Structure formats: structure tokens, C-alpha cells
PDB file of all heavy atoms in Angstrom:
ATOM      1  N   ALA A   1     -24.584 -56.216  37.766  1.00  0.00           N
ATOM      2  CA  ALA A   1     -24.294 -57.010  36.556  1.00  0.00           C
ATOM      3  C   ALA A   1     -25.485 -57.796  36.138  1.00  0.00           C
ATOM      4  O   ALA A   1     -25.770 -57.913  34.910  1.00  0.00           O
ATOM      5  CB  ALA A   1     -23.107 -57.957  36.905  1.00  0.00           C
ATOM      6  N   GLU A   2     -26.283 -58.344  36.990  1.00  0.00           N
ATOM      7  CA  GLU A   2     -27.417 -59.134  36.686  1.00  0.00           C
ATOM      8  C   GLU A   2     -28.520 -58.315  35.998  1.00  0.00           C
ATOM      9  O   GLU A   2     -29.072 -58.717  34.938  1.00  0.00           O
ATOM     10  CB  GLU A   2     -28.159 -59.736  37.963  1.00  0.00           C
ATOM     11  CG  GLU A   2     -27.227 -60.637  38.771  1.00  0.00           C
ATOM     12  CD  GLU A   2     -26.440 -59.901  39.948  1.00  0.00           C
ATOM     13  OE1 GLU A   2     -25.981 -58.763  39.642  1.00  0.00           O
ATOM     14  OE2 GLU A   2     -26.337 -60.523  40.949  1.00  0.00           O
ATOM     15  N   VAL A   3     -28.723 -57.109  36.406  1.00  0.00           N
ATOM     16  CA  VAL A   3     -29.685 -56.177  35.754  1.00  0.00           C
ATOM     17  C   VAL A   3     -29.154 -55.792  34.272  1.00  0.00           C
ATOM     18  O   VAL A   3     -29.984 -55.713  33.447  1.00  0.00           O
ATOM     19  CB  VAL A   3     -29.981 -54.885  36.649  1.00  0.00           C
ATOM     20  CG1 VAL A   3     -30.751 -53.891  35.938  1.00  0.00           C
ATOM     21  CG2 VAL A   3     -30.556 -55.290  37.932  1.00  0.00           C
ATOM     22  N   VAL A   4     -27.847 -55.546  34.159  1.00  0.00           N
ATOM     23  CA  VAL A   4     -27.349 -55.176  32.806  1.00  0.00           C
ATOM     24  C   VAL A   4     -27.619 -56.378  31.920  1.00  0.00           C
ATOM     25  O   VAL A   4     -28.108 -56.214  30.750  1.00  0.00           O
ATOM     26  CB  VAL A   4     -25.881 -54.863  32.998  1.00  0.00           C
ATOM     27  CG1 VAL A   4     -25.266 -54.636  31.562  1.00  0.00           C
ATOM     28  CG2 VAL A   4     -25.614 -53.664  33.850  1.00  0.00           C
ATOM     29  N   ALA A   5     -27.339 -57.563  32.340  1.00  0.00           N
ATOM     30  CA  ALA A   5     -27.510 -58.767  31.568  1.00  0.00           C
ATOM     31  C   ALA A   5     -28.965 -58.959  31.237  1.00  0.00           C
ATOM     32  O   ALA A   5     -29.286 -59.342  30.099  1.00  0.00           O
ATOM     33  CB  ALA A   5     -26.922 -60.040  32.283  1.00  0.00           C
ATOM     34  N   LEU A   6     -29.837 -58.725  32.131  1.00  0.00           N
ATOM     35  CA  LEU A   6     -31.321 -58.922  31.896  1.00  0.00           C
ATOM     36  C   LEU A   6     -31.839 -57.963  30.888  1.00  0.00           C
ATOM     37  O   LEU A   6     -32.610 -58.306  30.051  1.00  0.00           O
ATOM     38  CB  LEU A   6     -32.027 -58.787  33.273  1.00  0.00           C
ATOM     39  CG  LEU A   6     -31.923 -59.942  34.232  1.00  0.00           C
ATOM     40  CD1 LEU A   6     -32.589 -59.577  35.560  1.00  0.00           C
ATOM     41  CD2 LEU A   6     -32.658 -61.161  33.625  1.00  0.00           C
ATOM     42  N   ARG A   7     -31.330 -56.722  30.940  1.00  0.00           N
ATOM     43  CA  ARG A   7     -31.826 -55.655  30.004  1.00  0.00           C
ATOM     44  C   ARG A   7     -31.425 -56.167  28.602  1.00  0.00           C
ATOM     45  O   ARG A   7     -32.233 -55.798  27.628  1.00  0.00           O
ATOM     46  CB  ARG A   7     -31.131 -54.293  30.337  1.00  0.00           C
ATOM     47  CG  ARG A   7     -31.726 -53.654  31.543  1.00  0.00           C
ATOM     48  CD  ARG A   7     -30.896 -52.458  31.923  1.00  0.00           C
ATOM     49  NE  ARG A   7     -31.438 -51.813  33.157  1.00  0.00           N
ATOM     50  CZ  ARG A   7     -30.810 -50.754  33.786  1.00  0.00           C
ATOM     51  NH1 ARG A   7     -29.561 -50.398  33.406  1.00  0.00           N
ATOM     52  NH2 ARG A   7     -31.321 -50.327  34.899  1.00  0.00           N
ATOM     53  N   LYS A   8     -30.273 -56.681  28.432  1.00  0.00           N
ATOM     54  CA  LYS A   8     -29.768 -57.147  27.098  1.00  0.00           C
ATOM     55  C   LYS A   8     -30.482 -58.313  26.669  1.00  0.00           C
ATOM     56  O   LYS A   8     -30.944 -58.511  25.503  1.00  0.00           O
ATOM     57  CB  LYS A   8     -28.298 -57.417  27.051  1.00  0.00           C
ATOM     58  CG  LYS A   8     -27.381 -56.185  27.235  1.00  0.00           C
ATOM     59  CD  LYS A   8     -25.933 -56.462  27.316  1.00  0.00           C
ATOM     60  CE  LYS A   8     -25.083 -55.253  27.538  1.00  0.00           C
ATOM     61  NZ  LYS A   8     -23.622 -55.590  27.551  1.00  0.00           N
ATOM     62  N   ALA A   9     -30.970 -59.200  27.625  1.00  0.00           N
ATOM     63  CA  ALA A   9     -31.605 -60.437  27.214  1.00  0.00           C
ATOM     64  C   ALA A   9     -33.055 -60.196  26.899  1.00  0.00           C
ATOM     65  O   ALA A   9     -33.680 -60.856  26.014  1.00  0.00           O
ATOM     66  CB  ALA A   9     -31.517 -61.419  28.384  1.00  0.00           C
ATOM     67  N   GLY A  10     -33.681 -59.299  27.584  1.00  0.00           N
ATOM     68  CA  GLY A  10     -35.155 -59.030  27.351  1.00  0.00           C
ATOM     69  C   GLY A  10     -35.911 -60.214  27.652  1.00  0.00           C
ATOM     70  O   GLY A  10     -35.762 -60.932  28.671  1.00  0.00           O
ATOM     71  N   THR A  11     -36.934 -60.548  26.757  1.00  0.00           N
ATOM     72  CA  THR A  11     -37.846 -61.653  27.022  1.00  0.00           C
ATOM     73  C   THR A  11     -37.142 -63.022  26.898  1.00  0.00           C
ATOM     74  O   THR A  11     -37.716 -64.039  27.362  1.00  0.00           O
ATOM     75  CB  THR A  11     -38.961 -61.601  26.039  1.00  0.00           C
ATOM     76  OG1 THR A  11     -38.508 -61.628  24.724  1.00  0.00           O
ATOM     77  CG2 THR A  11     -39.840 -60.270  26.222  1.00  0.00           C
ATOM     78  N   ARG A  12     -35.896 -62.987  26.233  1.00  0.00           N
ATOM     79  CA  ARG A  12     -35.234 -64.306  26.094  1.00  0.00           C
ATOM     80  C   ARG A  12     -34.673 -64.806  27.423  1.00  0.00           C
ATOM     81  O   ARG A  12     -34.156 -65.955  27.454  1.00  0.00           O
ATOM     82  CB  ARG A  12     -34.163 -64.176  25.089  1.00  0.00           C
ATOM     83  CG  ARG A  12     -34.672 -63.891  23.720  1.00  0.00           C
ATOM     84  CD  ARG A  12     -33.540 -63.685  22.663  1.00  0.00           C
ATOM     85  NE  ARG A  12     -32.773 -62.586  22.939  1.00  0.00           N
ATOM     86  CZ  ARG A  12     -31.589 -62.165  22.355  1.00  0.00           C
ATOM     87  NH1 ARG A  12     -31.121 -62.903  21.374  1.00  0.00           N
ATOM     88  NH2 ARG A  12     -30.989 -61.018  22.533  1.00  0.00           N
ATOM     89  N   ALA A  13     -34.767 -64.011  28.449  1.00  0.00           N
ATOM     90  CA  ALA A  13     -34.335 -64.438  29.838  1.00  0.00           C
ATOM     91  C   ALA A  13     -35.202 -65.460  30.410  1.00  0.00           C
ATOM     92  O   ALA A  13     -34.829 -66.203  31.315  1.00  0.00           O
ATOM     93  CB  ALA A  13     -34.217 -63.216  30.756  1.00  0.00           C
ATOM     94  N   ARG A  14     -36.544 -65.518  29.995  1.00  0.00           N
ATOM     95  CA  ARG A  14     -37.443 -66.420  30.540  1.00  0.00           C
ATOM     96  C   ARG A  14     -37.015 -67.882  30.299  1.00  0.00           C
ATOM     97  O   ARG A  14     -36.830 -68.308  29.157  1.00  0.00           O
ATOM     98  CB  ARG A  14     -38.875 -66.209  29.904  1.00  0.00           C
ATOM     99  CG  ARG A  14     -39.936 -66.969  30.723  1.00  0.00           C
ATOM    100  CD  ARG A  14     -41.272 -66.356  30.557  1.00  0.00           C
ATOM    101  NE  ARG A  14     -41.323 -65.029  30.981  1.00  0.00           N
ATOM    102  CZ  ARG A  14     -41.563 -64.636  32.350  1.00  0.00           C
ATOM    103  NH1 ARG A  14     -41.805 -65.620  33.202  1.00  0.00           N
ATOM    104  NH2 ARG A  14     -41.623 -63.450  32.693  1.00  0.00           N
ATOM    105  N   GLY A  15     -36.962 -68.689  31.317  1.00  0.00           N
ATOM    106  CA  GLY A  15     -36.505 -70.090  31.291  1.00  0.00           C
ATOM    107  C   GLY A  15     -35.018 -70.283  31.051  1.00  0.00           C
ATOM    108  O   GLY A  15     -34.526 -71.371  30.877  1.00  0.00           O
ATOM    109  N   ALA A  16     -34.209 -69.203  31.114  1.00  0.00           N
ATOM    110  CA  ALA A  16     -32.769 -69.261  30.907  1.00  0.00           C
ATOM    111  C   ALA A  16     -32.013 -69.450  32.161  1.00  0.00           C
ATOM    112  O   ALA A  16     -32.559 -69.394  33.227  1.00  0.00           O
ATOM    113  CB  ALA A  16     -32.257 -67.872  30.220  1.00  0.00           C
ATOM    114  N   THR A  17     -30.680 -69.666  31.927  1.00  0.00           N
ATOM    115  CA  THR A  17     -29.740 -69.837  33.071  1.00  0.00           C
ATOM    116  C   THR A  17     -28.909 -68.665  33.264  1.00  0.00           C
ATOM    117  O   THR A  17     -28.369 -68.119  32.224  1.00  0.00           O
ATOM    118  CB  THR A  17     -28.900 -71.176  32.870  1.00  0.00           C
ATOM    119  OG1 THR A  17     -29.779 -72.284  32.853  1.00  0.00           O
ATOM    120  CG2 THR A  17     -27.824 -71.220  34.006  1.00  0.00           C
ATOM    121  N   LEU A  18     -28.675 -68.133  34.498  1.00  0.00           N
ATOM    122  CA  LEU A  18     -27.843 -67.056  34.786  1.00  0.00           C
ATOM    123  C   LEU A  18     -26.534 -67.567  35.474  1.00  0.00           C
ATOM    124  O   LEU A  18     -26.689 -68.322  36.359  1.00  0.00           O
ATOM    125  CB  LEU A  18     -28.518 -66.070  35.744  1.00  0.00           C
ATOM    126  CG  LEU A  18     -27.598 -64.992  36.363  1.00  0.00           C
ATOM    127  CD1 LEU A  18     -27.321 -63.849  35.345  1.00  0.00           C
ATOM    128  CD2 LEU A  18     -28.149 -64.372  37.642  1.00  0.00           C
ATOM    129  N   TYR A  19     -25.359 -67.182  35.011  1.00  0.00           N
ATOM    130  CA  TYR A  19     -24.082 -67.398  35.651  1.00  0.00           C
ATOM    131  C   TYR A  19     -23.661 -66.073  36.209  1.00  0.00           C
ATOM    132  O   TYR A  19     -23.527 -65.048  35.566  1.00  0.00           O
ATOM    133  CB  TYR A  19     -23.148 -67.929  34.622  1.00  0.00           C
ATOM    134  CG  TYR A  19     -23.569 -69.250  34.021  1.00  0.00           C
ATOM    135  CD1 TYR A  19     -24.406 -69.299  32.853  1.00  0.00           C
ATOM    136  CD2 TYR A  19     -23.089 -70.489  34.564  1.00  0.00           C
ATOM    137  CE1 TYR A  19     -24.799 -70.490  32.283  1.00  0.00           C
ATOM    138  CE2 TYR A  19     -23.555 -71.676  33.988  1.00  0.00           C
ATOM    139  CZ  TYR A  19     -24.393 -71.632  32.825  1.00  0.00           C
ATOM    140  OH  TYR A  19     -24.776 -72.875  32.290  1.00  0.00           O
ATOM    141  N   VAL A  20     -23.196 -66.137  37.473  1.00  0.00           N
ATOM    142  CA  VAL A  20     -22.757 -64.915  38.149  1.00  0.00           C
ATOM    143  C   VAL A  20     -21.753 -65.270  39.194  1.00  0.00           C
ATOM    144  O   VAL A  20     -21.821 -66.337  39.849  1.00  0.00           O
ATOM    145  CB  VAL A  20     -23.929 -64.155  38.758  1.00  0.00           C
ATOM    146  CG1 VAL A  20     -24.600 -64.962  39.944  1.00  0.00           C
ATOM    147  CG2 VAL A  20     -23.538 -62.783  39.297  1.00  0.00           C
ATOM    148  N   ASN A  21     -20.696 -64.521  39.312  1.00  0.00           N
ATOM    149  CA  ASN A  21     -19.579 -64.834  40.215  1.00  0.00           C
ATOM    150  C   ASN A  21     -19.877 -64.541  41.697  1.00  0.00           C
ATOM    151  O   ASN A  21     -19.045 -64.871  42.566  1.00  0.00           O
ATOM    152  CB  ASN A  21     -18.272 -64.207  39.739  1.00  0.00           C
ATOM    153  CG  ASN A  21     -18.334 -62.664  39.774  1.00  0.00           C
ATOM    154  OD1 ASN A  21     -19.088 -62.092  38.938  1.00  0.00           O
ATOM    155  ND2 ASN A  21     -17.567 -62.008  40.707  1.00  0.00           N
ATOM    156  N   LEU A  22     -20.921 -63.856  41.976  1.00  0.00           N
ATOM    157  CA  LEU A  22     -21.263 -63.461  43.423  1.00  0.00           C
ATOM    158  C   LEU A  22     -22.715 -63.590  43.524  1.00  0.00           C
ATOM    159  O   LEU A  22     -23.559 -63.158  42.617  1.00  0.00           O
ATOM    160  CB  LEU A  22     -20.723 -62.062  43.673  1.00  0.00           C
ATOM    161  CG  LEU A  22     -20.854 -61.692  45.232  1.00  0.00           C
ATOM    162  CD1 LEU A  22     -19.831 -62.421  46.061  1.00  0.00           C
ATOM    163  CD2 LEU A  22     -20.561 -60.211  45.343  1.00  0.00           C
ATOM    164  N   GLU A  23     -23.139 -64.017  44.729  1.00  0.00           N
ATOM    165  CA  GLU A  23     -24.628 -64.134  45.050  1.00  0.00           C
ATOM    166  C   GLU A  23     -25.335 -62.883  44.746  1.00  0.00           C
ATOM    167  O   GLU A  23     -24.912 -61.802  45.174  1.00  0.00           O
ATOM    168  CB  GLU A  23     -24.712 -64.503  46.513  1.00  0.00           C
ATOM    169  CG  GLU A  23     -26.101 -64.494  47.041  1.00  0.00           C
ATOM    170  CD  GLU A  23     -26.187 -64.775  48.604  1.00  0.00           C
ATOM    171  OE1 GLU A  23     -25.036 -64.881  49.231  1.00  0.00           O
ATOM    172  OE2 GLU A  23     -27.296 -64.948  49.062  1.00  0.00           O
ATOM    173  N   PRO A  24     -26.506 -62.997  44.049  1.00  0.00           N
ATOM    174  CA  PRO A  24     -27.287 -61.798  43.840  1.00  0.00           C
ATOM    175  C   PRO A  24     -27.879 -61.174  45.087  1.00  0.00           C
ATOM    176  O   PRO A  24     -28.211 -61.896  46.021  1.00  0.00           O
ATOM    177  CB  PRO A  24     -28.451 -62.263  42.908  1.00  0.00           C
ATOM    178  CG  PRO A  24     -27.832 -63.615  42.277  1.00  0.00           C
ATOM    179  CD  PRO A  24     -26.891 -64.092  43.327  1.00  0.00           C
ATOM    180  N   CYS A  25     -27.953 -59.849  45.121  1.00  0.00           N
ATOM    181  CA  CYS A  25     -28.394 -59.221  46.441  1.00  0.00           C
ATOM    182  C   CYS A  25     -29.898 -59.228  46.499  1.00  0.00           C
ATOM    183  O   CYS A  25     -30.564 -59.391  45.480  1.00  0.00           O
ATOM    184  CB  CYS A  25     -27.926 -57.708  46.382  1.00  0.00           C
ATOM    185  SG  CYS A  25     -28.739 -56.766  45.116  1.00  0.00           S
ATOM    186  N   ALA A  26     -30.465 -59.331  47.728  1.00  0.00           N
ATOM    187  CA  ALA A  26     -31.841 -59.414  47.988  1.00  0.00           C
ATOM    188  C   ALA A  26     -32.313 -58.195  48.761  1.00  0.00           C
ATOM    189  O   ALA A  26     -33.491 -58.222  49.319  1.00  0.00           O
ATOM    190  CB  ALA A  26     -32.193 -60.647  48.765  1.00  0.00           C
ATOM    191  N   HIS A  27     -31.505 -57.139  48.798  1.00  0.00           N
ATOM    192  CA  HIS A  27     -31.952 -55.928  49.590  1.00  0.00           C
ATOM    193  C   HIS A  27     -31.785 -54.730  48.684  1.00  0.00           C
ATOM    194  O   HIS A  27     -31.214 -54.753  47.532  1.00  0.00           O
ATOM    195  CB  HIS A  27     -30.851 -55.736  50.781  1.00  0.00           C
ATOM    196  CG  HIS A  27     -29.581 -55.439  50.453  1.00  0.00           C
ATOM    197  ND1 HIS A  27     -28.750 -56.396  49.900  1.00  0.00           N
ATOM    198  CD2 HIS A  27     -28.810 -54.244  50.384  1.00  0.00           C
ATOM    199  CE1 HIS A  27     -27.528 -55.822  49.618  1.00  0.00           C
ATOM    200  NE2 HIS A  27     -27.553 -54.547  49.934  1.00  0.00           N
ATOM    201  N   THR A  28     -32.421 -53.634  49.106  1.00  0.00           N
ATOM    202  CA  THR A  28     -32.330 -52.435  48.311  1.00  0.00           C
ATOM    203  C   THR A  28     -31.229 -51.458  48.940  1.00  0.00           C
ATOM    204  O   THR A  28     -31.286 -51.195  50.126  1.00  0.00           O
ATOM    205  CB  THR A  28     -33.692 -51.677  48.455  1.00  0.00           C
ATOM    206  OG1 THR A  28     -34.723 -52.466  47.894  1.00  0.00           O
ATOM    207  CG2 THR A  28     -33.635 -50.349  47.635  1.00  0.00           C
ATOM    208  N   GLY A  29     -30.329 -51.143  48.004  1.00  0.00           N
ATOM    209  CA  GLY A  29     -29.318 -50.186  48.449  1.00  0.00           C
ATOM    210  C   GLY A  29     -29.397 -48.974  47.558  1.00  0.00           C
ATOM    211  O   GLY A  29     -30.379 -48.395  47.436  1.00  0.00           O
ATOM    212  N   ARG A  30     -28.301 -48.667  46.791  1.00  0.00           N
ATOM    213  CA  ARG A  30     -28.474 -47.651  45.784  1.00  0.00           C
ATOM    214  C   ARG A  30     -29.123 -48.156  44.586  1.00  0.00           C
ATOM    215  O   ARG A  30     -29.586 -47.330  43.825  1.00  0.00           O
ATOM    216  CB  ARG A  30     -26.955 -47.195  45.347  1.00  0.00           C
ATOM    217  CG  ARG A  30     -26.266 -46.397  46.410  1.00  0.00           C
ATOM    218  CD  ARG A  30     -25.099 -45.597  45.901  1.00  0.00           C
ATOM    219  NE  ARG A  30     -23.818 -46.294  46.385  1.00  0.00           N
ATOM    220  CZ  ARG A  30     -22.601 -45.764  46.122  1.00  0.00           C
ATOM    221  NH1 ARG A  30     -22.457 -44.700  45.403  1.00  0.00           N
ATOM    222  NH2 ARG A  30     -21.550 -46.410  46.502  1.00  0.00           N
ATOM    223  N   THR A  31     -29.289 -49.413  44.424  1.00  0.00           N
ATOM    224  CA  THR A  31     -30.142 -49.990  43.361  1.00  0.00           C
ATOM    225  C   THR A  31     -31.061 -51.043  44.051  1.00  0.00           C
ATOM    226  O   THR A  31     -30.895 -51.344  45.148  1.00  0.00           O
ATOM    227  CB  THR A  31     -29.242 -50.719  42.376  1.00  0.00           C
ATOM    228  OG1 THR A  31     -28.460 -51.739  42.956  1.00  0.00           O
ATOM    229  CG2 THR A  31     -28.302 -49.705  41.651  1.00  0.00           C
ATOM    230  N   GLY A  32     -32.006 -51.487  43.231  1.00  0.00           N
ATOM    231  CA  GLY A  32     -32.954 -52.465  43.839  1.00  0.00           C
ATOM    232  C   GLY A  32     -32.398 -53.844  43.860  1.00  0.00           C
ATOM    233  O   GLY A  32     -31.309 -54.113  43.375  1.00  0.00           O
TER     234      GLY A  32
END
């Protein structure tokens, strides 16, 4: 979800706030 949202935000993500219902992952699985 975070990556999908970042792709839509583009450069406007810089300095922004992200709301997410589950902790973002820090490991590499099927995705980065």
C-alpha cells in the first residue's frame, strides 16, 4: 500500500505525512 501511495504522490511526498494501518515492512520479501 505504501508504494502504491508513493507512486501516486510522486515528488509531493517529500515532507508529507503517511497514514497506514499496519507497520511498514523493513525486509525484502516478494517486494522490497
